Amino acid sequence: MGISTNQKEKLQTLFITFFKIGLFTFGGGYAMIPLIEYETVERHRWIKSEDILDIFAIAEATPGVIAINTATFVGYKVAGFWGSFLATLGVVIPSFTIISVIALFFQEFQSLEWVGYAFKGIRAGVIVLILGAVVKMGKKGEYTPLTVLILMLAFCLASFTDISVIYLLLGGAVTGLFYQVWLNRKQADDKRDEVKK
C-alpha cells in the first residue's frame, strides 16, 4: 500500500520542522520547548494547546532527551510510525553533525577567545528561552492546592538540595496518582451517600 501525496507532504514537513528546531536551538532540550510548542501548536496546528503540556510531561518522564522524546511523540501523533521516525531523525541530525565537527576540532575551539564569549551570550539567551517556556506553559496549567504544593516543594528541593530530579518526578507522579485514587473514592462515597438519602 503506497503513501498518499498528502501523507508524503506531511512527513516532509515534519522532518523539515524538527530539523529546523534541532538546527537553530542552542542549550539542549529545555531550550527547544518554546520552538517546539510554536511549530506544533501555533504554526502547523498538529497538536492542541492543552495536549502539548501532556506530551512534554510524558517526554520528560520517559528516559532520553526531552526534545527527542517530544519529536517522537509528536511525529507519531501526526503521521504514525514514519512520522515518529522522521521527526526524531530531523531533530537529531543537526546536533549530531555539529557535535561531531566540534569534537574533531575541540582543542582548537577551546583556545579561541571569541568562542568563549559566544557561549556566554548563548547561555544568557537559553535562560530567557527556558523562563519564557515556563511562564507560557504555566499559564495553561490547571492548579489545585495540591499541584501548587508539589510545584513549590519540587522547586525548593531542586534548587536547594542535591536530590536528583528523577526522584522529584517520581514523587510528583506517585503523589498525583494516590491523590486521584483518593479523590475518585471520595466522589464515589459521596454519590452513595446521596443515593441513600
Side-chain angles (χ1 to χ4, degrees), residues 32-184:
M32 291 182 180
I33 286 175
L35 192 53
I36 290 171
E37 185 185 18
Y38 169 75
E39 290 288 341
T40 60
V41 176
E42 294 175 29
R43 187 171 177 208
H44 295 292
R45 302 189 185 279
W46 288 327
I47 306 291
K48 290 180 182 175
S49 182
E50 57 270 20
D51 292 339
I52 197 70
L53 284 177
D54 294 334
I55 289 173
F56 286 142
I58 293 166
E60 176 58 36
T62 50
V65 182
I66 188 169
I68 295 172
N69 291 345
T70 304
T72 305
F73 289 130
V74 170
Y76 189 81
K77 191 169 176 62
V78 173
F81 170 79
W82 288 111
S84 176
F85 176 76
L86 289 171
T88 305
L89 194 66
V91 85
V92 166
I93 286 174
S95 305
F96 180 78
T97 306
I98 292 165
I99 292 298
S100 298
V101 171
I102 290 173
L104 287 172
F105 306 103
F106 185 70
Q107 295 299 327
E108 289 82 353
F109 267 107
Q110 212 174 17
S111 61
L112 294 173
E113 197 175 342
W114 61 268
V115 171
Y117 296 146
F119 278 122
K120 283 179 185 176
I122 289 169
R123 203 175 296 141
V126 166
I127 291 168
V128 173
L129 278 172
I130 293 171
L131 284 174
V134 167
V135 170
K136 197 170 183 181
M137 289 191 299
K139 289 176 182 176
K140 296 174 185 175
E142 294 179 14
Y143 296 101
T144 65
L146 178 69
T147 56
V148 171
L149 180 66
I150 291 171
L151 177 68
M152 290 169 59
L153 188 61
F155 175 78
C156 291
L157 289 172
S159 301
F160 306 113
T161 70
D162 292 331
I163 295 173
S164 172
V165 178
I166 293 167
Y167 296 126
L168 297 180
L169 285 169
L170 289 172
V174 169
T175 305
L177 185 66
F178 278 113
Y179 175 74
Q180 198 58 49
V181 168
W182 173 81
L183 198 65
N184 289 345

